[in-house]
Amino acid sequence: MALTAAAVVAAGTVSGLLAATGGDENETARPAPEVSGSALHVPLPARPTPTASAPASPTPSPSPTASRTPARTSAPPAPKPSPTRAKKAAPVARTVSADLYRHPQSQVLDWVRDNPGDPRRDVISSRIADQPAAVWFAAYDPGAITGRVRAVTSGAAAAGRVPVLVPYAIPDRDCGGASQGGAPDLAAYDGWIRNFAEGLGSGPVIVVLEPDSIALADCLSSGERSARYASLARAGKALRAANPRAKVYFDAGHSGWHSATKMAGALREADAAGSSDGIFTNVSNFHATGDEAAYARRVLGALGGPSHLGAVIDTSRNGNGAPAPGAWCDPAGRALGRTPTTRTGDARIDAYLWIKLPGESDGCSGAAGEFSADYAYDLATG
């Protein structure tokens, strides 16, 4: 059984998100978006137990996808331009600053603030809370989403930093699993994404578009997959048109799931080469950075398209690589991975990001999406 990268979104929340403020004042009854950090909540006790942790943020980030062993295939050559057409100028690569944004609200920041005497505090603060992390938007809130996105992007712009945003509202999200939810249909989703795009501002921004939306699409019928892929292509175009400095990445699963050839085929159907700036891998998972970088390059090679297409990798919990097969829920022995940066020094790898916030549970060290100080400390010292 494959567990999705976002399989911990329950009761309208997605683990790993920070609550963003702003938007329509009439939308107060709706859950606020979150950052791979935390939302406003009741403080955790100084010594949380595995079953008693802080209430989940409004939309927690996903849990890991179960590992699968993909077949290794060679990438086909990129298509050659037709000799009968005028040769187009090579597309200009889109770049972002190396300074990523840390949203000022998160479960881990709340815990650090509320537990000054805890002996784990300094380690959790310096190694996790001080790092920039993604901001998730998992609530279908068409009347409020523009303001909520704008609150994050304007805060990042004022700080001179680059925010990482995760739209997570595709219909049939998580194939009806633990993270089910999203917009009621694709027409509604298209409108929500357009509203999302209006909040992007004009500064640099990284958008991790819909974790699991492509890698987990096998649960859909052929027609449903085609419709979803077309919607993702429209979403990528809308986001990039709204802010030419936005870099948009499409879902490519991870190195332990689909083969690079299969993943590239699905990405091709979603027009990733024409509607995005590349792919993302390993969201909420544990696969080693080297394995993910090699896999991402294979996928990009098989996909073809502009040479500047790149990849971003979630390195939040992959410091010790993947656990034993089947051990996906807060597995023991894991560690923080490389700190977030856009200066990777690795060919075609645009950034290492913390998309899933370390310390937010998959549902075993605490309720799904809740921050666990014990789990965070174990990752920080693993």
Side-chain angles (χ1 to χ4, degrees):
M1 171 179 178
L3 234 357
T4 72
V8 299
V9 181
T13 55
V14 184
S15 76
L17 300 173
L18 183 71
T21 57
D24 191 340
E25 293 180 354
N26 296 323
E27 296 290 332
T28 54
R30 300 175 184 269
E34 308 156 59
V35 179
S36 187
S38 97
L40 302 177
H41 60 73
V42 179
L44 284 168
R47 289 279 184 176
T49 66
T51 57
S53 51
S57 45
T59 3
S61 71
S63 68
T65 309
S67 295
R68 299 181 181 179
T69 303
R72 293 184 178 246
T73 56
S74 58
K80 296 181 180 180
S82 169
T84 61
R85 296 182 182 179
K87 187 175 182 180
K88 295 182 180 181
V92 177
R94 296 142 80 91
T95 59
V96 297
S97 163
D99 296 318
L100 296 167
Y101 181 55
R102 188 196 71 167
H103 195 289
Q105 294 173 290
S106 71
Q107 291 186 71
V108 64
L109 285 171
D110 288 349
W111 184 87
V112 166
R113 180 197 64 215
D114 295 331
N115 294 274
D118 193 292
R120 299 164 297 181
R121 182 182 183 276
D122 289 347
V123 169
I124 291 174
S125 178
S126 63
R127 299 185 187 180
I128 296 178
D130 288 350
Q131 296 297 332
V135 183
W136 291 66
F137 298 84
Y140 174 67
D141 51 357
I145 189 61
T146 300
R148 289 172 175 168
V149 173
R150 185 175 293 127
V152 177
T153 57
S154 62
R161 301 297 177 94
V162 181
V164 178
L165 311 181
V166 185
Y168 190 60
I170 197 81
D172 297 313
R173 184 175 71 196
D174 194 25
C175 293
S179 297
Q180 63 184 305
D185 53 50
L186 288 174
Y189 178 74
D190 288 351
W192 183 84
I193 275 289
R194 288 193 296 269
N195 292 344
F196 187 105
E198 289 178 7
L200 290 179
S202 58
V205 57
I206 295 172
V207 181
V208 175
L209 181 64
E210 298 294 342
D212 294 326
S213 60
I214 298 178
L216 195 66
D218 285 348
C219 69
L220 304 175
S221 69
S222 176
E224 289 169 336
R225 280 198 302 274
S226 295
R228 172 181 284 191
Y229 294 162
S231 181
L232 288 170
R234 291 191 295 272
K237 289 182 174 70
L239 294 164
R240 298 170 86 221
N243 180 353
R245 299 182 72 186
K247 297 194 74 174
V248 180
Y249 296 88
F250 278 25
D251 173 40
H254 60 70
S255 62
W257 198 350
H258 299 303
S259 72
T261 299
K262 178 177 179 177
M263 200 68 252
L267 286 159
R268 193 174 298 111
E269 290 185 54
D271 188 36
S275 302
S276 78
D277 296 278
I279 61 175
F280 61 84
T281 78
N282 211 40
V283 169
S284 295
N285 223 287
F286 307 92
H287 294 273
T289 301
D291 293 340
E292 289 302 298
Y295 169 72
R297 284 191 287 268
R298 292 198 302 272
V299 173
L300 291 169
L303 175 63
S307 61
H308 70 261
L309 292 180
V312 298
I313 298 170
D314 187 349
T315 60
S316 59
R317 305 188 296 179
N318 72 346
N320 288 338
W328 63 268
C329 187
D330 302 331
R334 301 311 95 201
L336 302 177
R338 301 192 187 188
T339 54
T341 182
T342 58
R343 295 175 180 170
T344 70
D346 204 347
R348 304 199 78 173
I349 307 303
D350 294 346
Y352 303 135
L353 305 175
W354 283 10
I355 300 173
K356 168 79 170 183
L357 188 73
E360 290 189 358
S361 176
D362 298 322
C364 292
S365 62
E370 292 182 355
F371 177 78
S372 164
D374 285 335
Y375 182 37
Y377 186 80
D378 287 345
L379 288 169
T381 58

